[in-house]
Amino acid sequence: EAQVTQNPRYLITVTGKKLTVTCSQNMNHEYMSWYRQDPGLGLRQIYYSMNVEVTDKGDVPEGYKVSRKEKRNFPLILESPSPNQTSLYFCASSERQGGEQYFGPGTRLTVT
Amino acid sequence: SQQGEEDPQALSIQEGENATMNCSYKTSINNLQWYRQNSGRGLVHLILIRSNEREKHSGRLRVTLDTSKKSSSLLITASRAADTASYFCATDPYTGGFKTIFGAGTRLFVKA
């Protein structure tokens, strides 16, 4: 089954404790992206990747890092999480630039 | 730099009625897409319309695009209770890369 998976689905952590949210897709897509969703703001793009080792900033990259060492994986790293990074995070992948995006189920992160 | 704005923010209708949602954007785009989200879950792609298209249909969905006004509308005909969800427009601007900009969304509630 074609899918995008994210782990963990729920995470409560404390300020400053490094964490990684994993994202994996099994569709051999070149394009992958991370978004955060906050009430009333829709989805905002954090980072995206157009291929292995090719990443670029979205609209809200501050406080986040990404890497793309393999085509299927695109982890999101929060080196020093802060409460303003409490949000619902989505990973997505696409076969082509500007094409339909397939979304993961989301990761709900709470930073206290 | 959010560029998708949607209205209304919320819409409540009776089953069988039509629902119309509007999206406006600020810069030139390649494509415009509509997505649906049920209760904090991952987004599901509904339809994509290219910048050189004016109208597109898919089942009970009809999307229009007016690039001169930088706006799009999504019409759901003969709505059902199962259409209750949030609907988002997403654009990929001419800036290149894999940038995607989502609107804040319209929450649709269809009463049975």
Side-chain angles (χ1 to χ4, degrees):
Chain A
E1 178 191 355
Q3 60 181 351
V4 178
T5 56
Q6 293 179 228
N7 283 292
R9 294 289 313 280
Y10 302 91
L11 179 60
I12 300 174
T13 189
V14 296
T15 299
K17 187 176 181 181
K18 181 179 178 180
L19 66 93
T20 299
V21 184
T22 64
C23 172
S24 184
Q25 50 95 2
N26 63 0
M27 294 167 281
N28 202 37
H29 286 169
E30 288 190 355
Y31 298 90
M32 297 186 75
S33 188
W34 275 104
Y35 299 90
R36 62 177 288 173
Q37 184 176 26
D38 302 289
L41 294 178
L43 278 79
R44 293 180 291 168
Q45 194 173 37
I46 303 171
Y47 270 96
Y48 62 86
S49 170
M50 295 193 288
N51 212 329
V52 174
E53 304 292 2
V54 180
T55 63
D56 205 350
K57 296 176 182 178
D59 282 333
V60 289
E62 296 77 20
Y64 304 95
K65 283 176 57 177
V66 292
S67 68
R68 188 94 182 270
K69 292 184 170 56
E70 305 166 282
K71 199 171 186 178
R72 64 182 292 128
N73 297 323
F74 189 43
L76 179 69
I77 303 157
L78 284 73
E79 295 269 2
S80 183
S82 62
N84 64 13
Q85 292 179 299
T86 291
S87 188
L88 179 57
Y89 291 86
F90 289 102
C91 180
S93 72
S94 181
E95 186 177 19
R96 58 183 178 84
Q97 189 173 353
E100 172 184 353
Q101 294 189 46
Y102 293 79
F103 281 80
T107 295
R108 190 167 291 279
L109 172 66
T110 301
V111 183
T112 61
Chain B
S1 57
Q2 285 288 320
Q3 77 161 353
E5 299 290 336
E6 290 165 80
D7 77 273
Q9 290 185 330
L11 180 60
S12 182
I13 59 174
Q14 291 290 141
E15 209 167 28
E17 293 181 339
N18 295 341
T20 299
M21 289 159 266
N22 303 296
C23 167
S24 61
Y25 55 92
K26 295 177 184 172
T27 64
S28 297
I29 61 171
N30 295 306
N31 304 316
L32 185 142
Q33 302 180 54
W34 285 90
Y35 288 83
R36 165 191 168 130
Q37 182 183 38
N38 287 84
S39 272
R41 296 184 183 178
L43 279 71
V44 175
H45 182 263
L46 294 176
I47 195 165
L48 179 152
I49 186 165
R50 302 186 190 285
S51 59
N52 62 353
E53 296 177 310
R54 292 295 166 259
E55 187 171 312
K56 203 161 183 180
H57 297 255
S58 176
R60 293 185 295 114
L61 305 180
R62 173 180 167 248
V63 169
T64 62
L65 178 65
D66 186 335
T67 52
S68 66
K69 294 181 180 177
K70 292 186 169 60
S71 68
S72 173
S73 67
L74 171 68
L75 168 68
I76 304 174
T77 59
S79 62
R80 305 165 183 168
D83 293 328
T84 294
S86 292
Y87 293 83
F88 296 89
C89 68
T91 55
D92 65 316
Y94 272 169
T95 53
F98 189 42
K99 279 213 163 179
T100 307
I101 298 177
F102 280 83
T106 293
R107 293 186 64 183
L108 173 66
F109 181 65
V110 181
K111 292 177 279 189

